[in-house]
């Protein structure tokens, strides 16, 4: 399954790229990343594509600390809702624990492990399939977050990288303000145990509890292909360019791969598209003050008339009838005609997938 990351991870990428003579759009095309991810921070893109972008950018610019330059300009806002939870914790200890608990919501391939010692605390980084630049971006950003919690007046005891040292270590030492160890046994930040009790003066316990409850609701990311495709479809609909090719681009694969995996889930891209449109449509049209032209745009239609034809075909009535409460008895709110296979039970062990069953029938 493709690991996804919020496109906010590329915040400040464009300005850093330009500062070293690179053209951001050209580099994104080389890494097979959609250009829209530079403008929409909540878009989800493949972790592997982001890592490829960082590596080729550093190589073409000849800048070994390329990822650290991005990390140095970041903030808690880069982490979205996770950053808000971290910011409102009462102490640095609670903030780091919250970060470790929820970081996978931002980056599905990242885990933090905290090892408590009498004098030292080790924050270990587990980055599935990591590269040199992606590791330095992750550790650099967490370092920047901890410095923010201390209002900038803090340095770690040491920082460790499993990869080999760069030709020039000075920039890394200046960035972290401490001894930086390369060829280490783990990727980690070590800080003094006494630092964890530092109070975060701007913390709001009430807000922290509220935000944490909201983040808890999205703690588990979708693992099935149909769920991940559905999530992407929902975010891409308003762009008017929600196609299987575009979804495949975000998942760092081709349309045939998406098609094959959706068949194994017992559904199709068109069924998921219709279902997501139906869910959004029934929610939007309940507001009689919302103009239909705006709803059509939110559903990815180029014209209001196209939305009207689709709606009648899916729900068996017009939008006006639906708003007035005249609805076909066979349909329930949020259920579109033709939605197939969603919510089917998982296959039994040894049972062939839908694609395999069709192949067997053809052979007969």
């Amino acid at each position: 399954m493709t690991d996804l990351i919020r496109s906010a991870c590329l915040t400040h990428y464009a300005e850093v790229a330009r500062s070293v003579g690179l053209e951001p759009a050209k580099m994104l095309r080389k890494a097979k990343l959609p250009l829209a991810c530079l403008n929409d921070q909540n878009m989800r893109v493949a972790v592997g594509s982001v890592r490829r972008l960082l590596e080729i950018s550093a190589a073409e610019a000849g800048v070994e600390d390329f990822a650290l330059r991005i990390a140095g300009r970041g903030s808690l806002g880069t982490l979205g809702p996770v950053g808000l939870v971290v910011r409102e914790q009462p102490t640095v200890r609670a903030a780091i624990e919250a970060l470790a608990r929820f970081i996978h919501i931002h980056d599905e391939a990242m885990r933090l492990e905290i090892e408590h010692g009498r004098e030292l605390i080790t924050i270990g980084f587990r980055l599935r399939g990591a590269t040199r630049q992606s590791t330095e971006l992750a550790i650099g950003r967490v370092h920047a977050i901890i410095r923010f919690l201390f209002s900038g007046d803090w340095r770690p005891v040491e920082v460790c990288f499993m990869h080999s040292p760069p030709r020039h270590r000075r920039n890394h030492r200046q960035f972290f303000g401490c001894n930086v160890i390369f060829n280490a046994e783990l990727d980690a930040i070590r800080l003094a145990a006494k630092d964890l009790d530092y109070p975060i003066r701007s913390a709001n316990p009430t807000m922290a509890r509220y935000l944490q409850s909201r983040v808890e609701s999205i703690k588990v990311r979708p693992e099935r292909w149909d769920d991940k495709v559905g999530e992407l479809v929902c975010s891409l609909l308003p762009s008017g360019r929600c196609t299987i090719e575009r979804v495949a681009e975000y998942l760092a694969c081709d349309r045939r791969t998406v098609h094959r995996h959706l068949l194994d889930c017992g559904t199709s891209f068109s069924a998921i598209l219709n279902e997501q449109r139906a869910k959004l449509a029934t929610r939007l049209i309940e507001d009689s003050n919302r103009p239909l032209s705006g709803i059509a745009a939110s559903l990815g239609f180029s014209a209001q008339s196209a939305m009207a034809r689709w709606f009648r075909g899916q729900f068996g009535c017009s939008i006006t009838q639906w708003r007035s409460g005249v609805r076909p008895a066979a349909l329930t709110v949020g259920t579109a005609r033709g939605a197939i296979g969603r919510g089917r039970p998982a296959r039994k062990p040894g049972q062939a997938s839908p694609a395999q069953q069709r192949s067997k029938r053809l052979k007969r």
Side-chain angles (χ1 to χ4, degrees):
M1 174 60 72
T2 301
D3 286 319
L4 301 179
I5 185 171
R6 290 177 63 250
S7 53
C9 67
L10 294 175
T11 302
H12 302 297
Y13 168 80
E15 59 191 87
V16 171
R18 292 190 187 98
S19 72
V20 295
L22 299 178
E23 183 184 338
K26 179 181 177 181
M27 301 309 298
L28 261 70
R29 285 192 292 269
K30 285 188 176 183
K32 297 183 178 179
L33 275 167
L35 299 181
C37 67
L38 291 182
N39 300 317
D40 185 351
Q41 291 194 334
N42 291 314
M43 186 62 67
R44 293 196 153 301
V45 294
V47 171
S49 297
V50 172
R51 290 173 176 170
R52 184 164 54 249
L53 174 68
L54 295 174
E55 293 301 322
I56 62 177
S57 296
E60 290 204 15
V63 176
E64 294 178 300
D65 63 336
F66 184 85
L68 288 185
R69 297 188 186 194
I70 298 176
R73 305 188 188 201
S75 65
L76 272 172
T78 304
L79 298 179
V82 176
L84 294 176
V85 172
V86 171
R87 186 189 64 187
E88 301 298 340
Q89 298 303 312
T91 64
V92 170
R93 180 191 306 274
I96 292 175
E97 289 175 349
L99 181 63
R101 182 178 181 184
F102 297 116
I103 190 61
H104 66 281
I105 294 175
H106 171 72
D107 181 350
E108 293 179 349
M110 183 175 176
R111 298 293 184 274
L112 298 180
E113 297 176 358
I114 304 173
E115 181 181 333
H116 295 269
R118 179 172 297 180
E119 297 183 355
L120 287 179
I121 301 299
T122 300
I123 305 174
F125 290 72
R126 298 289 180 264
L127 305 167
R128 190 160 48 238
T131 60
R132 183 188 194 93
Q133 294 296 322
S134 64
T135 299
E136 295 193 0
L137 179 62
I139 294 182
R141 281 218 161 118
V142 171
H143 171 271
I145 287 170
I146 298 176
R147 274 184 60 82
F148 170 82
L149 298 175
F150 280 97
S151 301
D153 186 23
W154 171 82
R155 292 183 179 184
V157 174
E158 66 181 19
V159 171
C160 303
F161 290 108
M162 295 176 67
H163 54 252
S164 60
R167 291 189 300 274
H168 306 288
R169 306 188 187 196
R170 183 180 61 183
N171 291 342
H172 286 71
R173 288 175 180 152
Q174 287 180 342
F175 182 91
F176 292 106
C178 67
N179 185 35
V180 181
I181 301 173
F182 294 91
N183 293 320
E185 294 183 355
L186 78 166
D187 296 309
I189 295 176
R190 290 196 172 98
L191 61 157
K194 60 182 177 60
D195 289 346
L196 294 187
D197 296 324
Y198 183 86
I200 301 174
R201 295 180 176 84
S202 61
N204 184 327
T206 302
M207 181 62 69
R209 288 191 294 271
Y210 168 75
L211 291 170
Q212 189 159 319
S213 67
R214 295 297 300 269
V215 172
E216 287 277 5
S217 67
I218 58 173
K219 184 178 177 182
V220 179
R221 303 304 310 167
E223 292 296 332
R224 288 169 55 99
W225 272 86
D226 52 347
D227 291 331
K228 287 202 173 186
V229 169
E231 184 180 54
L232 283 170
V233 166
C234 188
S235 61
L236 287 172
L237 266 177
S239 71
R241 294 176 292 171
C242 184
T243 63
I244 190 170
E245 289 83 7
R246 193 163 176 79
V247 167
E249 184 180 12
Y250 278 84
L251 292 172
C253 61
D254 56 34
R255 60 172 294 163
R256 288 177 295 181
T257 301
V258 176
H259 181 66
R260 184 175 68 253
H261 284 296
L262 292 182
L263 278 178
D264 286 339
C265 293
T267 188
S268 68
F269 179 77
S270 60
I272 292 174
L273 178 61
N274 272 342
E275 182 182 16
Q276 292 298 330
R277 269 182 170 157
K279 287 180 179 178
L280 183 57
T282 52
R283 188 166 74 246
L284 294 178
I285 64 175
E286 290 298 327
D287 181 2
S288 58
N289 295 320
R290 187 185 292 268
L292 294 181
S293 57
I295 296 177
S298 297
L299 295 177
F301 290 105
S302 58
Q304 183 177 322
S305 57
M307 178 186 69
R309 288 192 297 272
W310 169 83
F311 192 92
R312 183 176 289 277
Q314 294 298 312
F315 294 96
C317 65
S318 69
I319 295 176
T320 302
Q321 289 173 320
W322 185 281
R323 279 179 164 175
S324 65
V326 180
R327 304 169 187 177
L331 291 174
T332 58
V333 175
T335 303
R337 292 177 176 177
I340 62 172
R342 300 308 301 260
R344 287 187 180 183
R347 296 195 305 271
K348 297 177 181 179
Q351 182 180 354
S353 70
Q356 291 169 332
Q357 292 172 11
R358 279 191 292 276
S359 178
K360 287 182 180 180
R361 286 196 296 270
L362 289 173
K363 290 179 181 178
R364 292 173 188 168

